[in-house]
Amino acid sequence: MRKIGIIDLGTNTFNLLIQGMDQESRKILHKEKIPVKLGEGGITKGFIADKAYQRGIDALTKYKETLLTHQVDECYAFATSAIRCADNGKQFVNEVKSNLNIHINVIDGDQEASFIYEGVKQAVNLEDKPKLIIDIGGGSTEFIIANQEECFWKKSYQLGAARLLEQFKPSDPIKLEEVEAMEAYFEEQLGDMIEMAETFEIDCLIGSSGSFDTLAEMISCRNGSCSDWEQKSEFSFIMQEYNLIQREIYGSTLEERRKMEGLIPMRVDMIVIAVIIINFVLKTLTIHDMRLSSYALKEGVINTVNTKSHPWQKSLL
């Protein structure tokens, strides 16, 4: 069986996916995420801070061991916002290549959005009517308008949860005027997205992994089984349940969120920002249908490198 490893070097999390590729099936052999928080302490200043830098190196060292244990045939690594926007991002890429033989493909926001679309359409039947896909990362957020057959419009914005957290430095718990300030900022930044969504008469939001995973898990925990949402590649939010959970998140302190079931430690601060983004989109576009795709960038990469000619350089482990 041919084995492909994909490393997604996100701003919050480094994700590893190892998948077996044979003619009849694609079996997931290993899936792992490490909360690196690469943007912590430096993302708004344009660099990767020392502690975050070392966390990134440590995570990739661990992933290399896992890749060798599984004897992967090919490995591809992709870096997104935190590395592509950092002054020392190239230094990080070069150090990883020299010390670990992992070649990091640094992609721009447009390519990131394309990979996300390729991943999402494997997990969710987007049907004919265009949907709005949102991937809230730590450094950037991607917005994509697409149906199952075609991507009509896509754009990456520097509106990641970690970036916004450092930029706005909200109170604990967040104040109403701070929420309103962020919403005003989103309205200013997202004017072209809003215009395109209205043009395509968008009435459904598809959230891709990350914060949407967390919200689905929190809701599932309250319904009796934290793992329910993981059983399928698509999860449909009941809006009444979402509204209850988002109100609790808004009104909570950091310490209170640490105790919320289904909310992993890495997201206790950034989930507030993610909810503000989601609520802004739901309210602005009058959307009442929200779903989760458990597939995102790394699954899109798998599909791309396996089925199409591509320029991405693999790592020589």
Side-chain angles (χ1 to χ4, degrees):
M1 178 191 295
R2 178 168 162 251
K3 301 174 187 176
I4 296 181
I6 302 296
I7 305 174
D8 169 12
L9 290 80
T11 302
N12 291 328
T13 310
F14 282 11
N15 296 275
L16 173 64
L17 174 66
I18 300 175
Q19 194 161 321
M21 313 294 288
D22 59 30
Q23 292 181 342
E24 297 179 359
S25 66
R26 297 184 179 184
K27 183 179 180 182
I28 295 175
L29 304 174
H30 185 86
K31 203 171 183 179
E32 186 177 355
K33 57 177 63 180
I34 297 177
V36 172
K37 285 197 170 184
L38 204 63
E40 189 173 64
I43 192 165
T44 57
K45 303 179 185 76
F47 69 92
I48 304 169
D50 290 345
K51 289 183 179 179
Y53 192 105
Q54 190 57 51
R55 288 196 297 268
I57 297 295
D58 292 344
L60 292 175
T61 301
K62 182 177 185 297
Y63 280 169
K64 178 172 180 177
E65 293 173 0
T66 304
L67 290 160
L68 291 173
T69 299
H70 281 271
Q71 298 180 317
V72 299
D73 298 290
E74 298 174 40
C75 172
Y76 298 89
F78 292 86
T80 56
S81 181
I83 292 175
R84 71 173 172 249
C85 296
D87 291 340
N88 56 344
K90 188 173 182 180
Q91 175 189 324
F92 183 89
V93 169
N94 290 338
E95 183 173 337
V96 169
K97 178 72 178 295
S98 297
N99 296 342
L100 298 174
N101 277 336
I102 294 175
H103 180 90
I104 298 173
N105 297 276
V106 181
I107 57 174
D108 62 22
D110 190 68
Q111 182 61 62
E112 186 175 356
S114 294
F115 280 147
I116 291 164
Y117 169 61
E118 290 292 331
V120 169
K121 73 177 184 177
Q122 295 176 64
V124 178
N125 183 1
L126 297 175
E127 303 171 322
D128 293 328
K129 183 170 172 50
K131 311 290 190 296
L132 177 63
I133 300 167
I134 303 179
D135 190 298
I136 303 172
S140 64
T141 294
E142 283 64 52
F143 292 83
I144 303 146
I145 295 175
N147 64 12
Q148 191 66 26
E149 299 301 324
E150 184 179 358
C151 177
F152 302 103
W153 178 89
K154 61 185 184 298
K155 189 171 179 179
S156 177
Y157 297 82
Q158 297 288 71
L159 296 175
R163 190 181 299 278
L164 292 167
L165 193 65
E166 292 213 10
Q167 180 179 342
F168 284 90
K169 295 181 171 57
S171 305
D172 182 32
I174 194 167
K175 297 176 181 176
L176 177 59
E177 55 265 34
E178 293 170 332
V179 175
E180 290 172 344
M182 283 193 214
E183 289 179 336
Y185 183 66
F186 297 156
E187 191 166 356
E188 176 187 309
Q189 296 293 314
L190 295 173
D192 49 353
M193 183 279 292
I194 294 167
E195 183 180 344
M196 293 303 297
E198 290 174 344
T199 299
F200 282 93
E201 299 181 341
I202 295 297
D203 59 8
C204 176
L205 186 161
I206 309 291
S208 168
S209 69
S211 297
F212 291 94
D213 284 351
T214 297
L215 291 166
E217 183 157 349
M218 293 176 76
I219 290 170
S220 294
C221 286
R222 294 184 180 213
N223 289 337
S225 176
C226 290
S227 61
D228 274 359
W229 71 278
E230 294 183 286
Q231 306 308 311
K232 298 178 181 178
S233 61
E234 176 181 353
F235 176 90
S236 293
F237 289 93
I238 296 171
M239 296 311 292
Q240 184 178 7
E241 294 178 339
Y242 169 74
N243 286 329
L244 285 172
I245 208 88
Q246 63 88 15
R247 280 199 295 269
E248 287 189 30
I249 289 168
Y250 264 156
S252 64
T253 65
L254 187 68
E255 284 307 310
E256 287 169 339
R257 290 194 296 278
R258 291 188 200 280
K259 299 172 186 175
M260 291 183 180
E261 196 173 10
L263 179 51
I264 59 175
M266 187 195 73
R267 296 201 186 276
V268 294
D269 50 359
M270 285 178 280
I271 193 66
V272 177
I273 306 297
V275 164
I276 296 172
I277 296 172
I278 294 166
N279 286 353
F280 173 81
V281 173
L282 293 175
K283 179 172 61 176
T284 302
L285 300 178
T286 321
I287 292 174
H288 303 288
D289 181 5
M290 185 166 75
R291 307 172 202 169
L292 159 73
S293 164
S294 61
Y295 288 13
L297 184 144
K298 56 189 180 298
E299 288 83 8
V301 171
I302 282 271
N303 191 57
T304 300
V305 301
N306 191 56
T307 60
K308 303 173 183 178
S309 59
H310 61 84
W312 314 117
Q313 188 169 333
K314 58 187 175 183
S315 301
L316 302 173
L317 301 174

